[in-house]
Amino acid sequence: MEEGKTIFLVDDDTDYLFQLQHTIKKFGFDVITAESQKEAEKKLENFKPDLAIYDLMMENDDSGFILSYKTKSKYPDVPIIIATAVASETGISFDLQSESERKWIKADLYLEKGIRSDQLHREINKLLKI
Amino acid sequence: MEKLKVLVVDDEPGIRSGINRILRKFSVDYPFMDDVIGFDLEMAPTGEEAIEIINKEQTDIVLLDNKLPGIQGNDVLEYINQKQFDTYVIIITSHASLEVAIRATKNGAYDFVPKPFTPQELKSSMENVTRQIFLRRMTSKLNKEGKQIRFQFLSVMSHELKAPINAVEGYLKMMKQQEFGENIKDYEELIARMEKRMENMRNLIMDMLDLTQIESGKKSRELSTINLTDIAESSIDMMKPYAIQKDVTINLNSPEKLELQADPDELEIILNNLISNAIKYNKQGGTVDCYIRQNKGFATITVTDTGIGMDKTEQTKLFNEFVRIKNEKTKNISGSGLGLSIVRKLVDIYNGDIHVTSKPDEGSSFTVTLPVYTNTGKEAKQDNPEQQENQN
């Protein structure tokens, strides 16, 4: 069922990007990557992913939020995951449970980096309704 | 103009309007304040009304008559202290006696103005209390900002330290699960990437140690007379392999001897950082020019590159901790983000100065100026750098 679904990965840590890409390809998805908010915005001009996973902090501290916002404005039906290690480092947690937060952050799911790959697979499938 | 809220509590209408006349157009300013501070006046004829107003809104200063028809001035003062309002009280009373003054100050009154008072007496008391309020607010603001900066530093630092661990951990997991085959040769690229991340992490930790030692003042400093040119030469030697890798040429333009009183390790850190940055952010085949000059008791070190450069906004952020200019041009260049903040801190220790000029895509030029002292503690006599240079 994963056939032909493309996932858009954006992270400025090339090693993390490489590893995540490898994991997700193993799930059977196609992957397109970008290494910065700017590169991602450019790619989104001519391409609509089936799902996007964004790092939070890239050129700017809130690059992931900005990308989410821009993606949702152009493609409202594309599910977005924000993946970051912020919570365990700063104690700031973003919880997308409440309606107002979902409205503001514009992402469907917030995931900690370092999540187990089977968990990630399940979350992706849920968002893609597979 | 910033305004402090002043509440005048007196049962005599004449005194209330008198104070109003004196303070209405009065303002306080000091050389160290950005803004002039003026006063918003409110009147209360009784202690009861005063308490009502204080409860309702933030009141900065209370001018309080001790003798009131209902509850007394001292009762109001006690109430303010009990509730721990951020309010300064100046006691005004015609029944001025030492006893009342002592009691009031014991209860936490800030100042005491005997009635009848001249406008000048009232004004100078207001000036004192205003300065006190201003200083206390500044202190608490600075404390808060200090904590905020500390918190940011720690969270960014843990992010920078955790990212390489996560990357290496991820690769190890891939190896363990033999994602790319059973042969160790299949993992050469992964291993090289891991090594790179570990190396960066080590550099970051070294930089951090430098920085914390400088900050805590614990780095033992050994001042001696050193020749800046020698240090520049050894620094350039050290960077040679890196420069060759990037095909960058380094030129040194320096008098044979430029002596100053300094810690050689510290000057080496300064030069290493400037030169390695000039290579790191250069273009393939670029040039680094290092000029050392002495001019009227100052040594200047200028390191100029032909690299990617920066725009004005990027230049202003440059010397802060963990600031790495992130853009398309720098994304494949690694660094701790601490180098220039270390340089700046060291330069500060020498009462020197660092500044940068830069143009995007053309290059940057960093200039460090250090005062030159010889071991006699006096400024060195000015050498003639031009002449010595010609001899080289």
Side-chain angles (χ1 to χ4, degrees):
Chain A
M1 277 196 286
E2 287 90 346
E3 285 294 300
K5 298 262 190 218
T6 303
I7 297 187
F8 188 34
L9 301 182
V10 186
D11 200 305
D12 63 346
D13 185 323
T14 48
D15 291 308
Y16 184 79
L17 195 61
F18 174 80
Q19 291 165 9
L20 189 61
Q21 179 179 17
H22 180 78
T23 307
I24 289 174
K25 275 185 175 166
K26 273 202 346 190
F27 298 157
F29 298 108
D30 292 330
V31 173
I32 287 181
T33 64
E35 290 176 18
S36 68
Q37 179 194 331
K38 211 172 140 199
E39 189 190 343
E41 283 174 16
K42 216 172 199 170
K43 286 197 171 165
L44 283 170
E45 279 171 22
N46 315 304
F47 144 77
K48 180 186 175 186
D50 294 294
L51 182 143
I53 302 181
Y54 297 148
D55 181 28
L56 177 56
M57 291 195 238
M58 292 183 280
E59 298 102 302
N60 303 304
D61 286 350
D62 56 354
S63 279
F65 291 153
I66 298 170
L67 268 183
S68 300
Y69 178 80
K70 292 194 170 170
T71 312
K72 286 282 185 191
S73 317
K74 196 162 159 63
Y75 311 115
D77 57 328
V78 173
I80 294 169
I81 298 175
I82 286 187
T84 163
V86 169
S88 56
E89 283 162 9
T90 61
I92 302 166
S93 68
F94 303 97
D95 203 333
L96 297 184
Q97 298 310 309
S98 78
E99 199 50 45
S100 65
E101 276 161 335
R102 231 188 300 258
K103 231 186 219 160
W104 175 67
I105 294 182
K106 298 267 182 203
D108 298 87
L109 187 65
Y110 171 83
L111 279 186
E112 276 292 296
K113 278 184 177 176
I115 177 179
R116 285 209 323 271
S117 72
D118 56 326
Q119 249 177 307
L120 178 65
H121 198 178
R122 215 173 316 133
E123 296 294 351
I124 291 174
N125 283 349
K126 227 194 279 173
L127 287 173
L128 287 174
K129 302 194 169 68
I130 295 175
Chain B
M1 180 160 64
E2 199 183 324
K3 294 258 185 170
L4 292 179
K5 175 77 184 294
V6 180
L7 176 62
V8 181
V9 190
D10 200 306
D11 56 331
E12 294 174 49
I15 296 284
R16 293 202 301 268
S17 66
I19 292 178
N20 187 34
R21 259 198 314 278
I22 296 168
L23 296 183
R24 202 176 44 203
K25 286 184 181 157
F26 180 57
S27 65
V28 175
D29 79 293
Y30 295 103
F32 50 83
M33 296 193 320
D34 296 336
D35 202 2
V36 177
I37 297 183
F39 304 98
D40 270 336
L41 296 167
E42 195 164 341
M43 303 293 161
T46 66
E48 288 82 354
E49 280 167 78
I51 285 176
E52 209 173 293
I53 292 170
I54 293 165
N55 270 323
K56 223 165 46 199
E57 50 201 311
Q58 164 63 29
T59 307
D60 300 302
I61 302 168
V62 178
L63 287 169
L64 185 61
D65 185 10
N66 188 49
K67 190 124 179 39
L68 294 165
I71 59 167
Q72 295 298 295
N74 254 316
D75 300 325
V76 178
L77 179 59
E78 260 167 42
Y79 181 83
I80 289 171
N81 289 334
Q82 220 173 42
K83 293 267 182 167
Q84 297 188 319
F85 287 114
D86 184 15
T87 301
Y88 283 79
V89 176
I90 298 174
I91 295 281
I92 301 173
T93 177
S94 51
H95 306 271
S97 71
L98 195 60
E99 198 196 332
V100 176
I102 289 171
R103 205 172 130 214
T105 353
K106 250 191 186 161
N107 278 345
Y110 180 78
D111 205 357
F112 190 86
V113 179
K115 215 164 23 174
F117 48 80
T118 64
Q120 197 42 49
E121 281 168 338
L122 180 66
K123 282 177 181 175
S124 85
S125 180
M126 288 297 283
E127 238 166 40
N128 285 337
V129 73
T130 303
R131 181 168 50 195
Q132 184 68 20
I133 290 173
F134 175 78
L135 288 177
R136 212 178 59 172
R137 285 187 186 168
M138 280 303 283
T139 321
S140 98
K141 198 174 140 216
L142 287 176
N143 282 343
K144 266 187 212 144
E145 280 171 3
K147 273 182 203 147
Q148 192 60 28
I149 287 165
R150 220 63 227 152
F151 172 75
Q152 275 170 4
F153 181 84
L154 284 174
S155 63
V156 178
M157 188 178 76
S158 64
H159 178 87
E160 296 293 323
L161 287 174
K162 265 178 80 174
I165 293 180
N166 290 340
V168 170
E169 208 170 40
Y171 286 132
L172 287 174
K173 208 186 274 170
M174 287 171 131
M175 291 178 79
K176 200 171 164 189
Q177 291 164 351
Q178 303 196 337
E179 298 279 348
F180 298 108
E182 292 174 9
N183 199 320
I184 189 74
K185 284 257 183 285
D186 302 328
Y187 296 91
E188 268 174 6
E189 198 198 324
L190 257 60
I191 292 168
R193 283 182 162 212
M194 281 193 265
E195 283 175 334
K196 184 88 196 140
R197 294 303 292 253
M198 301 294 272
E199 187 196 320
N200 288 342
M201 190 167 168
R202 185 194 313 274
N203 290 339
L204 169 63
I205 292 171
M206 301 299 275
D207 281 354
M208 256 172 44
L209 286 176
D210 276 349
L211 190 66
T212 47
Q213 278 181 333
I214 296 165
E215 273 198 327
S216 63
K218 276 191 188 124
K219 195 171 185 301
S220 61
R221 308 182 64 216
E222 281 171 32
L223 296 184
S224 56
T225 306
I226 54 147
N227 182 357
L228 193 54
T229 301
D230 287 347
I231 298 206
E233 277 169 359
S234 89
S235 182
I236 289 170
D237 273 348
M238 208 168 100
M239 297 298 160
K240 271 265 159 70
Y242 186 31
I244 290 167
Q245 255 181 41
K246 283 206 66 170
D247 192 22
V248 166
T249 316
I250 309 178
N251 303 314
L252 175 62
N253 195 322
S254 164
E256 206 163 288
K257 208 169 167 193
L258 199 171
E259 286 189 330
L260 70 158
Q261 192 72 7
D263 180 312
D265 289 345
E266 290 174 353
L267 280 196
E268 212 170 282
I269 294 175
I270 293 175
L271 276 154
N272 284 350
N273 269 299
L274 293 181
I275 295 172
S276 74
N277 275 350
I279 302 169
K280 196 190 279 185
Y281 297 101
N282 221 316
K283 290 177 182 131
Q284 198 78 21
T287 311
V288 174
D289 286 306
C290 183
Y291 299 93
I292 289 177
R293 291 260 186 288
Q294 184 168 342
N295 185 19
K296 287 183 190 147
F298 290 96
T300 59
I301 305 164
T302 304
V303 179
T304 303
D305 65 60
T306 55
I308 55 177
M310 285 164 283
D311 63 33
K312 280 267 179 280
T313 338
E314 290 168 337
Q315 286 172 40
T316 57
K317 294 192 224 162
L318 203 56
F319 297 101
N320 295 334
E321 282 158 10
F322 284 121
V323 168
R324 293 207 60 233
I325 305 304
K326 285 189 178 179
N327 58 38
E328 281 298 296
K329 287 178 274 181
T330 62
K331 74 174 185 192
N332 290 321
I333 304 172
S334 65
S336 66
L338 289 177
L340 282 176
S341 70
I342 291 172
V343 172
R344 197 202 52 197
K345 287 211 161 78
L346 283 174
V347 169
D348 283 348
I349 290 175
Y350 286 92
N351 296 317
D353 180 51
I354 179 163
H355 68 266
V356 59
T357 54
S358 185
K359 257 192 177 163
D361 294 317
E362 285 182 23
S364 305
S365 182
F366 288 85
T367 301
V368 168
T369 309
L370 302 171
V372 174
Y373 301 103
T374 61
N375 49 6
T376 57
K378 287 180 185 159
E379 285 185 9
K381 268 192 286 178
Q382 192 187 346
D383 290 323
N384 191 337
E386 305 302 328
Q387 203 180 345
Q388 287 190 355
E389 215 173 288
N390 292 341
Q391 288 166 356
N392 286 342

